[in-house]
Amino acid sequence: AQKITQTQPGMFVQEKEAVTLDCTYDTSDPSYGLFWYKQPSSGEMIFLIYQGSYDQQNATEGRYSLNFQKARKSANLVISASQLGDSAMYFCAMRGGYNQGGKLIFGQGTELSVKP
Amino acid sequence: DGGITQSPKYLFRKEGQNVTLSCEQNLNHDAMYWYRQDPGQGLRLIYYSQIVNDFQKGDIAEGYSVSREKKESFPLTVTSAQKNPTAFYLCASSPSGFPYEQYFGPGTRLTVT
């Protein structure tokens, strides 16, 4: 069965510093995708970054990068130069192969607080 | 502007009543999804639909029903059979092409008393 684990319920970071949010996954499917979403207090889920299981390079999107270590089954999110607006819940999610219907399995989330 | 709308933002119902949550998208996406989120938890899949007139159960479908008569719309009915209906409900859609990233609506917070 597929599973996503986020072991950090809460994290604090000083403004302008970098922070790493951990995510490990478990799947027997050779083809899968890993996503990170941000959920501010308003509740809406905002798509941040995607990494495919066959991608050779780590994904980057602006201040977000994904540290993908396939052998360790980890897909950590790195946020550089943290801003106050980065304070939110962050969810790691995994999509299986096409026969999984594109549905996502989510971790429990990490609450990030950025201190001024 | 393209996007996903969910209405209403807040919904209150008495126990024993069925209630329907609306989800509409104008992104021309084929697939649509309903998730439930409880406080301090991740999202759990209720139902999903990859094409009009077809849908599949997710991990927690009991007590819920859906329909997909139009590409743009995927309403969710929370029936009286759902034992703990109070939760935050999120609708999402995704294109049929790789990598199938999902885009979410603003959510509906349902309170049943």
Side-chain angles (χ1 to χ4, degrees):
Chain A
Q2 296 182 324
K3 188 179 179 181
I4 290 280
T5 303
Q6 294 180 254
T7 57
Q8 306 154 312
M11 290 277 288
F12 288 92
V13 65
Q14 206 67 36
E15 193 179 6
K16 299 180 185 176
E17 291 185 351
V19 63
T20 298
L21 306 183
D22 294 341
C23 172
T24 58
Y25 61 92
D26 191 19
T27 181
S28 57
D29 195 333
S31 174
Y32 54 89
L34 296 155
F35 301 79
W36 277 92
Y37 285 85
K38 173 183 178 181
Q39 187 178 42
S41 57
S42 61
E44 187 169 354
M45 299 285 281
I46 302 167
F47 167 64
L48 296 178
I49 196 167
Y50 167 81
Q51 180 83 43
S53 58
Y54 295 120
D55 292 343
Q56 295 296 314
Q57 294 189 330
N58 287 343
T60 60
E61 287 287 348
R63 294 186 299 109
Y64 304 108
S65 60
L66 203 152
N67 184 1
F68 182 46
Q69 298 189 43
K70 196 169 182 177
R72 299 174 105 179
K73 293 191 174 179
S74 74
N76 298 338
L77 177 71
V78 180
I79 305 175
S80 63
S82 297
Q83 302 172 355
L84 296 178
D86 293 335
S87 293
M89 284 290 291
Y90 287 81
F91 291 95
C92 180
M94 176 168 61
R95 185 209 73 234
Y98 183 71
N99 63 354
Q100 297 291 317
K103 55 185 179 178
L104 295 177
I105 296 169
F106 285 83
Q108 297 285 77
T110 295
E111 184 172 10
L112 178 66
S113 298
V114 180
K115 294 181 175 180
Chain B
D1 280 319
I4 302 173
T5 56
Q6 290 185 245
S7 60
K9 179 77 172 170
Y10 298 94
L11 193 52
F12 298 89
R13 282 292 182 272
K14 294 289 187 187
E15 199 173 313
Q17 294 179 335
N18 290 356
V19 58
T20 297
L21 280 57
S22 164
C23 177
E24 303 277 331
Q25 55 101 358
N26 61 3
L27 299 168
N28 199 32
H29 286 169
D30 288 315
M32 296 186 74
Y33 311 81
W34 273 105
Y35 293 91
R36 169 185 172 134
Q37 186 178 29
D38 293 288
Q41 303 293 314
L43 279 65
R44 292 182 292 167
L45 182 66
I46 305 172
Y47 268 99
Y48 65 102
S49 168
Q50 293 178 270
I51 198 167
V52 174
N53 293 324
D54 187 43
F55 49 82
Q56 286 78 40
K57 292 181 179 180
D59 300 318
I60 55 166
E62 187 175 347
Y64 299 98
S65 66
V66 293
S67 63
R68 186 86 187 276
E69 297 176 3
K70 298 187 300 182
K71 188 176 185 177
E72 301 80 18
S73 178
F74 191 40
L76 173 75
T77 296
V78 184
T79 76
S80 56
Q82 168 50 232
K83 289 183 171 44
N84 297 297
T86 295
F88 187 51
Y89 291 88
L90 285 153
C91 177
S93 69
S94 69
S96 53
F98 188 83
Y100 314 104
E101 73 276 17
Q102 293 185 16
Y103 295 91
F104 285 80
T108 292
R109 199 167 296 278
L110 174 65
T111 302
V112 177
T113 57

